[in-house]
Each structure stands twice: as C-alpha cells, then as structure tokens.
Amino acid sequence: MSDLSAFEKTIPSDALSLINALEAAGYEAYIVGGPVRDILIGRIPCDYDITTSAEVGEVKRVFSDKKTVDTGILHGTVTVVVNGVPYEITTYREDGEYLDSRHPVSVSFTKSIEEDLKRRDFTVNAMAYSPTRGLLDLHGGCEDAARKIIRAVGNAERRFEEDALRILRALRFGATLDFEIEGKTAEALVAKRQLLLKISAERIFAELKKLLAGSASYRVISEFSSVFELILPELAPLKMPEEAGWADLSFEDRLAILFALNSNSVAVACAANRLKWDNSLRDRISKTVALISSLPADNDTSAREFLLSGEDSILLSALRIGRVMSLVTDSTVMRVKKLITEDMPRKVSHLAIKGSDISALGAKGEAIGEVLKLLLKGVCLGELENDRCALINEAKAHIKP
Ligand code: ATP
Ligand code: MG
C-alpha cells in the first residue's frame, strides 16, 4: 500500500512521540495490531499499542520522566501515560510451545519484529506501522483488510490448537468488522471447536459479548452455529429469529432472543452459572425471557396488565424481542410506550394506602402484600380510583374475617 496518509492523519502526536523517543534511544518501535488494522479500514482506533525492540527496563528508562505502569512485566508490557492517555508498549515477543490450548509454556523476547508479527493471530492483526519505515505487512494483512477477510497467520489448525480462544476471536472480528472468515481458517475453527471447552468462562463470555454486539453478528452466528452450540449447549440445535429487526437489538436483547427462541429461563440460569455472567445480567435476561410468554395483546387492559409485570427497561426489551419474533404488533408497542409516559401508579408504594392500613383491617402476613397487589391492579386497569377511602372499601372485600 503506497498511500500512508491515513496513518499520518490519524495517529495522535503523543503516540508518535513515544515511538520517536524509543527510536532516538536506539531501539525500533512500531504501532502494531488493532490500530493498524482499524486505520487501514477507515475506523478510528480506540487505543494505540506499540511494539518495540527495547526490553521493559529499557522502556522504563527511556520514559523515566513519565508515569509508567507495570501492566504485564512478564509478557514485556509497560503502560506509559501521556496527557492522561495510556499507551501499552510491549517488547517484541516470540511465544514458546503451547500445551494447554491457551498459554505458551514460555515467552521470550526477541529483537526481530518479524518474529513478533508471526505470533499474532490473524493477518489483519499482524501488521505494524512506523512513521519512518512505513507499513510492515509480512502476511498479506493489507490485502485481506481490503477484501474484508479474517485469515489465520500460518497454519490455521495449528494456530487454533495453540490457543483456542482464537476460534472465538476470529468470529468476533468477523462480526464486529463485518469480515468473512477465509475458507481454511473457517474449516479449521469448526474442526477445532471442542478445544474451546478448555478456555475459561470469563474469556469466552468476554468474546461472546463483543461478538453479539457486532454489526454482522447475525451472519456469523448463523454461519458458525456449531461453535455457538458448543459454548451455549442450552441453545442447541440453534434456531435463529428472522433477520429483520436484529440490527436494532442491543447485545443483551440478542442474547435474550436466542434464549427466548431456543430454550427457557431455567436454561438462562444454567448458562449464566457456567459462563459466570454477573448477577444483574442474569437477572435481566431471565426476566426478559420469562416475559416473552406474557406479552400483551393489542388492547388497553392487556397493555396495562403488562406494565405491572416488570421494570420499564425489561418490559421494553421484551417488547423489542417480541416484535422481532412477530409476537406483538407495532401498535401494541406504541400503546405500552405511551402508557409508560403516563403518570400511572405502577408500584404498591404509589397507592394512597399502606400495608399498615391493610393490617389494621385484619389481614396478616403474606395476605397484606396480596391485597395491595390486587388494589394496584385495580387502579392500574382504571377499575379503582387511587383514593384512600375507595381503596379501604375495596380492601375490605378481599380480607376474610
Ligand atoms: P480491539 O480493537 O478489539 O482491541 P485488537 O486487535 O487490538 O482489537 P486485542 O485483543 O487488543 O485486539 O489484541 C491486540 C493484538 O494482540 C491483536 O491485534 C493481535 O495482534 C494480538 N493478539 C491478541 N490476542 C491474541 C491471541 N490470542 N493470539 C495471537 N495474537 C493475539
Ligand atoms: Mg486492542
């Protein structure tokens, strides 16, 4: 590639001055990996990783006037903070043999950028850019970026055997960049998918989240359903919703719709345990999935009853999913949204009567809550006024002497 102006225009001057300082001290330094790929495809990188021939101690000496953080000394990474922005600077590395499908047995530092690029996962992630030496693309990453292809560096099967997380990384990049997975890489990742069972739940779920949020997630999940069935066996055999509407769903909605279509809220709890979702995510997804079976019909009473079944964000999520599954109409969605904006009592605490009033009428224990719920439903459906006298009269009818 001859036109390097995108790099010159995009890379922040602070990142360039870090590279210049390392070079002035006699080392090599490049911007590497994600940011090089992103600039080539016209995206603005989130961060700028730097790779250098300098070892950690040497990097710290060059930047002794700056704040540095020992991010991963054993792996050769120091973070240097410039104007409040962290830059990860990592020594050129070669990975030793891999024995557990995730970690190299040893990591050694090298003076060769070629060796460092060889250990990287995909051709589009294995390029380096230097302001003085230009783009270093030894594996055809530039052409693959132009053709929107994810291709393993070297032998795909071996690369997935070394580190099975790369299987999900390939799908994640395919989904977030809207790239196709190259034929041999695709075959190898499907063939080696069982190795994913050796990868920690946290890492699997972190990749899965990014993948699901990707703009091409629908295509990637449909194309590689066997990998999804392995990491989410609750969803096997995987059934996908209609594609229309998928683009408007958030990562959480997408996760919920897959469970709504393929299983139930018990399965949500199983997957949440295994993949170590945080409690709040587990709670939101299981509530949303449970609501799919009680979505409202297109009338006022049904919409009002639905409003009592959860928090707004969960109700709206369930409606978006229900819409994609053709279980509710646009008119129902609008109706519920309109009711949400109205100042209607939605919680027992909004009633003009308290638990102590019900208790004074003779109700005990759980019965108090039951009566309050009945009153709330009456008020919400417009059958009762939210007025203390009216509520006390109605309550009496529900309390057995
Ligand atoms: P993102 O924009 O999502 O951060 P990225 O390409 O920067 O994408 P990172 O996970 O931050 O991805 O990794 C930085 C770089 O390190 C990658 O571009 C790749 O060159 C290399 N890399 C990361 N993980 C692996 C891995 N498991 N195997 C081989 N190389 C990897
Ligand atoms: Mg990155």
Side-chain angles (χ1 to χ4, degrees), residues 136-309:
L136 188 56
D137 174 20
L138 306 173
H139 302 282
C142 196
E143 193 186 334
D144 284 345
R147 293 172 55 203
K148 304 182 101 196
I149 286 175
I150 299 294
R151 180 198 310 271
V153 171
N155 179 294
E157 289 214 355
R158 193 168 324 129
R159 301 312 306 282
F160 293 132
E161 281 165 6
E162 285 173 356
D163 177 359
L165 188 66
R166 292 174 187 152
I167 295 172
L168 270 191
R169 284 177 58 87
L171 302 188
R172 185 256 280 195
F173 288 117
T176 54
L177 305 173
D178 195 2
F179 279 25
E180 293 280 344
I181 318 277
E182 175 271 334
K184 284 209 173 89
T185 305
E187 261 175 43
L189 78 81
V190 170
K192 297 289 166 189
R193 66 186 186 281
Q194 292 286 342
L195 295 175
L196 274 172
L197 298 175
K198 296 188 176 188
I199 301 293
S200 78
E202 290 86 348
R203 283 181 181 275
I204 297 241
F205 194 57
E207 288 297 330
L208 186 62
K209 252 179 167 167
K210 292 186 195 167
L211 192 167
L212 272 172
S215 62
S217 50
Y218 189 91
R219 172 178 58 79
V220 170
I221 298 173
S222 312
E223 215 172 308
F224 294 95
S225 54
S226 64
V227 178
F228 287 86
E229 290 168 356
L230 189 96
I231 53 177
L232 289 168
E234 296 80 8
L235 304 185
L238 186 72
K239 206 168 107 207
M240 291 293 280
E242 293 294 317
E243 189 167 4
W246 177 268
D248 304 326
L249 301 180
S250 66
F251 139 72
E252 287 194 20
D253 289 348
R254 289 172 181 177
L255 192 58
I257 198 171
L258 292 179
F259 277 93
L261 262 169
N262 292 285
S263 59
N264 51 44
S265 29
V266 178
V268 174
C270 280
N273 266 343
R274 197 184 55 258
L275 294 178
K276 304 201 165 69
W277 302 357
D278 61 68
N279 287 342
S280 134
L281 178 71
R282 165 209 302 244
D283 204 41
R284 288 196 303 279
I285 303 287
S286 46
K287 282 182 179 160
T288 307
V289 173
L291 273 185
I292 300 298
S293 54
S294 52
L295 286 167
D298 198 12
N299 64 64
D300 197 59
T301 308
S302 180
R304 283 172 183 269
E305 272 178 350
F306 183 65
L307 275 188
L308 291 177
S309 51

Side-chain angles (χ1 to χ4, degrees), residues 33-34 37 102 119-121 125 163 166 169 172-173:
R37 174 201 68 220
R102 174 65 195 134
R119 75 169 170 94
R120 295 177 182 270
D121 47 8
N125 287 350
D163 177 359
R166 292 174 187 152
R169 284 177 58 87
R172 185 256 280 195
F173 288 117

Side-chain angles (χ1 to χ4, degrees), residues 17-133:
S17 55
L18 291 175
I19 291 182
N20 291 339
L22 286 164
E23 298 262 349
Y27 305 104
E28 291 173 11
Y30 292 83
I31 301 282
V32 71
V36 178
R37 174 201 68 220
D38 287 347
I39 293 174
L40 276 178
I41 59 175
R43 295 190 173 207
I44 302 292
C46 306
D47 40 34
Y48 290 85
D49 298 331
I50 292 170
T51 185
T52 179
S53 57
E55 297 207 359
V56 162
E58 298 168 324
V59 173
K60 287 170 82 164
R61 254 197 310 284
V62 172
F63 299 115
S64 55
D65 61 332
K66 299 198 162 44
K67 180 179 172 196
T68 62
V69 183
D70 293 354
T71 313
I73 296 296
L74 288 180
H75 292 96
T77 305
V78 182
T79 300
V80 179
V81 184
V82 190
N83 292 322
V85 178
Y87 292 91
E88 283 197 358
I89 302 185
T90 305
T91 309
Y92 296 165
R93 235 175 67 186
E94 279 176 273
D95 295 337
E97 227 186 310
Y98 285 75
L99 289 182
D100 62 353
S101 300
R102 174 65 195 134
H103 303 102
V105 175
S106 62
V107 166
S108 53
F109 302 120
T110 162
K111 293 291 170 202
S112 153
I113 177 80
E114 288 78 12
E115 286 301 324
D116 182 88
L117 294 181
K118 227 198 280 177
R119 75 169 170 94
R120 295 177 182 270
D121 47 8
F122 306 111
T123 61
V124 292
N125 287 350
M127 290 178 280
Y129 171 82
S130 143
T132 51
R133 286 179 291 272

Side-chain angles (χ1 to χ4, degrees), residues 313-334:
S313 63
I314 307 280
L315 299 179
L316 292 171
S317 223
L319 284 174
R320 279 193 299 274
I321 292 169
R323 188 69 201 95
V324 175
M325 291 169 74
S326 300
L327 297 173
V328 287
T329 61
D330 282 338
S331 146
T332 310
V333 175
M334 297 306 291

